[in-house]
Amino acid sequence: NVLVNMSGLSKIFPNGTTAVKDVNLEIKEGEFICFVGPSGCGKSTIFKMITGLEDHTNGELEIFGHSPDEARKQNEVAFVFQDHTLLPWKNVRDNVALPLQLKGVSKKERYAEAERVLELVGLAHTTTMLPRELSGGMKMRVSIARALVTRPRLLLMDEPFGALDEITRQSLQEELLNIWQKDSSMTVLFITHNVFEAVYLSSKVAVMTPGPGKISSNIEVPYAYP
Ligand code: ADP
Ligand code: ADP
């Protein structure tokens, strides 16, 4: 069951920079793939093309058999970035419910869904707190909850734990694995430059070369889940 198909995928920015060069990758439903590689090799650019924020220059990119624009319109792709963008004047539950509010879901229903995903990230007790009252790790959990609230089939995470201390990072890694294992149809794509994190989290690691990014190896990770 192929979810994302990249073939000969390349991106040349208008200023002439080749950011991604001839990437071929097939992503199947339920995989957890980490993208590792040095800074500037094109990891974020690949994510931006998947979310439709950037067009690709050459090659093919299909998500659920659709163009990235269509896939995004169907709300099947969600993302989490390192610098979580919670609205400071809204409480935790309203922040998490926001994607549903934008879709016109009723307050009762979106609050119920927000509470469901806050439970998943262990923050059921914070619904009426404001972002400024939360630690960095808690804010990241709220961002993950907000990404999960639309029940996406594909979750993109761009170095989400990069700014967290080691202990917090480890507990979030555990929680993310738990969430992913509970929902066998959710596919996660995760950028990190921490090789240990990649090997710990993923079912497959896509290693990118320096310079105009190309995937140099695509390694199945043989390991037993906790
Ligand atoms: P990574 O996420 O692996 O650090 P990026 O995808 O951010 O790498 O960047 C890949 C290359 O593309 C880098 O050389 C970067 O400078 C360049 N780049 C990224 N965005 C733009 C842009 N909007 N215009 C021109 N060049 C860009
Ligand atoms: P609701 O969830 O009821 O639709 P809003 O999102 O419109 O509420 O606003 C919630 C509260 O946040 C209101 O008091 C509003 O004035 C305030 N607010 C909305 N936008 C901003 C903003 N950009 N900066 C500061 N406060 C804002």
Side-chain angles (χ1 to χ4, degrees), residues 53-203:
L53 274 173
E54 291 284 357
D55 287 331
H56 57 283
T57 322
N58 292 300
E60 282 173 42
L61 173 58
E62 276 188 353
I63 300 154
F64 327 111
H66 297 138
S67 71
D69 275 340
E70 280 174 67
R72 190 188 44 198
K73 278 182 203 139
Q74 300 189 8
N75 252 302
E76 289 182 320
V77 183
F79 29 91
V80 175
F81 300 103
Q82 183 176 319
D83 47 347
H84 36 72
T85 47
L86 303 177
L87 301 179
W89 61 88
K90 281 187 181 283
N91 71 26
V92 165
R93 183 172 51 197
D94 284 326
N95 265 289
V96 171
L98 192 63
L100 297 178
Q101 187 178 3
L102 296 176
K103 283 173 70 181
V105 174
S106 75
K107 193 169 222 165
K108 189 174 170 217
E109 206 176 317
R110 64 179 194 257
Y111 277 10
E113 283 298 294
E115 281 157 21
R116 173 184 70 85
V117 288
L118 281 167
E119 185 93 38
L120 276 180
V121 297
L123 286 185
H125 60 292
T126 66
T127 46
T128 59
M129 290 169 78
L130 288 171
R132 67 163 176 273
E133 300 175 79
L134 307 175
S135 67
M138 290 164 89
K139 281 185 213 165
M140 180 46 70
R141 290 187 171 89
V142 175
S143 302
I144 293 172
R146 185 180 53 185
L148 295 174
V149 80
T150 55
R151 299 178 189 263
R153 294 174 68 191
L154 181 61
L155 176 64
L156 302 177
M157 308 182 86
D158 190 346
E159 289 200 55
F161 307 152
L164 303 175
D165 64 83
E166 193 51 34
I167 304 279
T168 308
R169 189 211 314 263
Q170 283 173 14
S171 51
L172 273 157
Q173 288 170 343
E174 297 283 338
E175 282 166 32
L176 181 60
L177 280 180
N178 281 331
I179 290 167
W180 172 62
Q181 283 162 29
K182 270 186 209 151
D183 181 356
S184 59
S185 65
M186 186 171 72
T187 306
V188 182
L189 307 185
F190 190 105
I191 292 178
T192 178
H193 45 236
N194 183 332
V195 175
F196 297 104
E197 182 170 61
V199 172
Y200 179 64
L201 286 175
S202 49
S203 57

Side-chain angles (χ1 to χ4, degrees), residues 11-65:
K11 173 68 182 181
I12 304 169
F13 281 106
N15 70 0
T17 304
T18 301
V20 173
K21 197 173 174 185
D22 194 25
V23 163
N24 299 293
L25 185 65
E26 220 181 62
I27 299 171
K28 298 197 188 77
E29 184 170 322
E31 284 189 307
F32 193 133
I33 302 190
C34 280
F35 291 76
V36 292
S39 197
C41 72
K43 304 181 294 295
S44 296
T45 302
I46 289 181
F47 274 31
K48 285 177 187 161
M49 292 191 284
I50 293 174
T51 58
L53 274 173
E54 291 284 357
D55 287 331
H56 57 283
T57 322
N58 292 300
E60 282 173 42
L61 173 58
E62 276 188 353
I63 300 154
F64 327 111

